[in-house]
Amino acid sequence: MPTFTTRDGVELAYQDRGGDGFPLVMLPGWGQTQAMFRHQFAGLADGHRVITLDHRGHGLSAKPDHGYRIARLAADVDELLDHLGLDEVDALGWSMGVSVWWSLMDNSGTGRVRRFIAVDQPSAVAAVPWMSPREQAECGAIFDVDTLLALGGSLAGPEGDKAREDFVRGMFPAGAPEDVWEFVTGELATVPAAGAVPLLFDHCAQDWRDVLPAIDVPTLVMGAEVSHVSVSSQAYVADRIPGARLHVFTADVATSHFPFLVNPPAFNAVVEGFLAD
């Protein structure tokens, strides 16, 4: 697998698949790897140059002792585009990967993004005390601050591996395909707690609500009826981004926070349809 080295000296693994189609850069979420998009490599590569990245500390990328912040991950993506000589791409993020794109656009604008796809990520994860109850509900906050701190302590503790699996298991409904779950836990095991815990805390501490109205490129927001991320939070994101579309996977089509894994054809068809418009 090819790699490149960031300006702060970290070797990151990426894949660059597909032919002469317009580049589509896909970013995975917290604790997960570019292998999450294994069904998109084949399903989308005919019409797109599919590019994926293992974030620092994840998958086949190096596990440094620094840089576990969303802003640094966004800089890593910017440097990957420089490395590949790409001035403009279609950008897809899933879960924390959406936040990485939001950070990149917040810092550098949308000049490198032709179209944007945001998959199942709230605009703010932590229900901080200075948000009103209405604001907490609108943005789809998942944790209050005490719960976030307790989760971080559990993840960093002696039973951290079990805490991490329990946390991710909660993103799957009862009866989820066991092979999908086993695949996800295998990828989760590639991320050391020393990087995963501070990154999760930084990710959950961000509030992207003020960034959304500045996104001035065609945008698709994707959610699922059966997900720990509320559909209303995805409707809020789509409403705040000018002209954005919303697609919600119904329970009979794709369940869980991982629609690209549980029903790849349906997920790929929605992505293809948006990028083809």
Side-chain angles (χ1 to χ4, degrees):
M1 184 175 295
T3 65
F4 79 103
T5 301
T6 64
R7 293 190 187 98
D8 65 339
V10 180
E11 188 175 18
L12 301 182
Y14 68 93
Q15 294 192 62
D16 185 355
R17 299 192 181 192
D20 298 327
F22 197 80
L24 170 63
V25 180
M26 308 176 72
L27 301 181
W30 176 85
Q32 295 301 321
T33 73
Q34 60 187 312
M36 290 294 104
F37 301 126
R38 57 184 179 169
H39 300 298
Q40 285 65 56
F41 293 146
L44 298 175
D46 285 347
H48 307 275
R49 178 182 172 186
V50 178
I51 299 164
T52 59
L53 174 70
D54 279 337
H55 300 300
R56 62 179 59 209
H58 292 63
L60 299 177
S61 287
K63 316 294 192 276
D65 59 1
H66 62 280
Y68 293 102
R69 293 176 295 278
I70 296 298
R72 180 59 250 185
L73 267 58
D76 292 344
V77 174
D78 218 15
E79 292 173 25
L80 171 63
L81 301 186
D82 288 342
H83 171 75
L84 296 174
L86 297 174
D87 294 326
E88 188 179 42
V89 300
D90 289 332
L92 184 150
W94 161 65
S95 196
M96 186 193 73
V98 179
S99 295
V100 175
W101 284 117
W102 282 337
S103 180
L104 186 152
M105 290 187 280
D106 185 34
N107 289 328
S108 305
T110 58
R112 300 189 90 158
V113 177
R114 186 183 72 160
R115 289 176 177 257
F116 177 48
I117 302 174
V119 183
D120 219 32
Q121 172 59 37
S123 52
V125 176
V128 293
W130 52 88
M131 285 183 185
S132 69
R134 177 180 176 181
E135 288 174 320
Q136 293 174 8
E138 284 179 340
C139 70
I142 296 170
F143 307 112
D144 59 30
V145 175
D146 288 343
T147 302
L148 176 58
L149 293 175
L151 174 62
S154 296
L155 293 171
E159 300 295 322
D161 289 345
K162 182 179 184 304
R164 182 160 41 173
E165 287 198 14
D166 289 346
F167 173 51
V168 176
R169 186 77 183 197
M171 300 177 188
F172 286 87
E178 196 62 27
D179 60 328
V180 172
W181 166 243
E182 290 175 358
F183 170 67
V184 168
T185 54
E187 297 305 300
L188 186 65
T190 69
V191 189
V197 176
L199 179 58
L200 180 65
F201 186 83
D202 184 80
H203 166 47
C204 293
Q206 305 302 317
D207 182 347
W208 303 106
R209 289 177 295 164
D210 63 323
V211 175
L212 303 181
I215 298 175
D216 57 359
V217 297
T219 297
L220 173 66
V221 179
M222 303 171 74
E225 283 182 347
V226 182
S227 174
H228 72 293
V229 176
S230 69
V231 169
S232 62
S233 74
Q234 300 310 281
Y236 175 80
V237 171
D239 184 62
R240 295 278 291 170
I241 297 175
R245 307 179 198 176
L246 174 66
H247 181 90
V248 176
F249 291 106
T250 55
D252 60 320
V253 175
T255 58
S256 89
H257 188 46
F258 299 75
F260 45 86
L261 282 177
V262 299
N263 193 337
F267 182 87
N268 293 350
V270 174
V271 171
E272 284 278 19
F274 173 68
L275 296 180
D277 281 355

